[in-house]
Amino acid sequence: MSKPKLIFREGTEKDSRFILNKIKDLARFMDTEDMVTLTEDDFAKEFTSQNKFINLLIAETDEEESKFVGYALFFPFFSTYSGKRLYLEDLFIEEKYRGNGFGKVFFREIAKIGVEKGCHSMEWTTLPDNDIAVGFYKSLGAINKTETEKWHSYYLPKDVFMKIANS
C-alpha cells in the first residue's frame, strides 16, 4: 500500500465545529483541556471577520476513507528585532498518520504561505515533555529559544487581561 498524497486547503467557517473538536483532542493529549475556552461561534466568526486574524490550513488525503490528516493554525506577527514572522499556534496530525513524513510536508506548506505573506521565520511553543515533537522540531533545524536565548514566555489570562483593559 502506497503512502497517501496530502492535499492542503484553507479552512473555512464550515470547518469550525470539526476543528474545534480537534483542538479539544489536542488539549486532552497535552492535558490542558481546561484551558480551551474558545467557542464554536467565536471560532466560526473569525473566518468571516473583516479583520481575520488566523490562518487555518487543513490537510486531507486522496484516500476514499478517513480523508482528514491534520490541521495547522497560524498567524503573522511583527518582531521588533527582525520584522514579519509567523506564529504557529497548533499543528495537529491524526495519530494514524504520524511518523510518515507528513509533519515535514505540513511545515513546508506553512513556510511557503509565510514567505508569500512576507514572513522570514516561524515561531511556536511546545511542552517540554513532548519528546517526539521536540525531536521532530530539532530534525527540521529549529532552535529552542529557552536553551539558546533564555527567553521566558508569559501571557495574561482573559480575566486579568480584561481587568487591565478596563482599569
Side-chain angles (χ1 to χ4, degrees):
M1 185 166 133
S2 64
K3 185 165 94 172
K5 181 180 183 229
L6 279 188
I7 300 164
F8 290 100
R9 67 177 179 82
E10 188 174 338
T12 69
E13 180 181 7
K14 293 175 185 167
D15 296 307
S16 298
R17 174 177 290 156
F18 182 76
I19 296 300
L20 184 57
N21 286 330
K22 292 301 175 185
I23 290 169
K24 291 176 181 177
D25 288 347
L26 179 60
R28 266 191 295 283
F29 171 76
M30 297 182 343
D31 198 27
T32 57
E33 189 174 12
D34 59 323
M35 294 176 68
V36 178
T37 60
L38 181 66
T39 67
E40 181 183 340
D41 189 49
D42 288 340
F43 194 36
K45 284 178 187 174
E46 181 60 32
F47 294 98
T48 57
S49 170
Q50 281 187 280
N51 299 318
K52 184 178 172 192
F53 194 71
I54 61 169
N55 295 279
L56 175 62
L57 185 64
I58 295 176
E60 299 171 330
T61 67
D62 56 357
E63 299 173 315
E64 290 299 316
E65 75 289 333
S66 300
K67 292 184 87 153
F68 178 79
V69 173
Y71 77 91
L73 189 70
F74 56 97
F75 51 89
F77 74 99
F78 190 85
S79 166
T80 56
Y81 283 16
S82 60
K84 292 181 182 179
R85 302 172 77 182
L86 276 186
Y87 188 85
L88 176 62
E89 179 67 24
D90 286 343
L91 175 62
F92 176 85
I93 297 177
E94 289 283 7
E95 192 168 351
K96 76 179 203 170
Y97 292 110
R98 294 177 193 163
N100 289 317
F102 290 153
K104 190 173 276 190
V105 176
F106 236 123
F107 263 76
R108 184 181 315 122
E109 194 67 21
I110 296 164
K112 285 179 184 178
I113 292 168
V115 168
E116 288 171 8
K117 292 180 179 291
C119 298
H120 61 76
S121 59
M122 184 165 64
E123 192 168 313
W124 64 94
T125 60
T126 191
L127 295 173
D129 60 348
N130 191 348
D131 296 331
I132 293 172
V134 170
F136 169 67
Y137 301 145
K138 286 182 178 181
S139 77
L140 291 174
I143 296 169
N144 182 342
K145 286 175 64 171
T146 306
E147 294 172 357
T148 62
E149 299 177 27
K150 309 299 184 211
W151 288 99
H152 291 266
S153 181
Y154 293 89
Y155 84 103
L156 293 172
K158 183 178 181 177
D159 59 333
V160 176
F161 182 74
M162 298 308 282
K163 182 179 177 182
I164 292 170
N166 295 315
S167 62

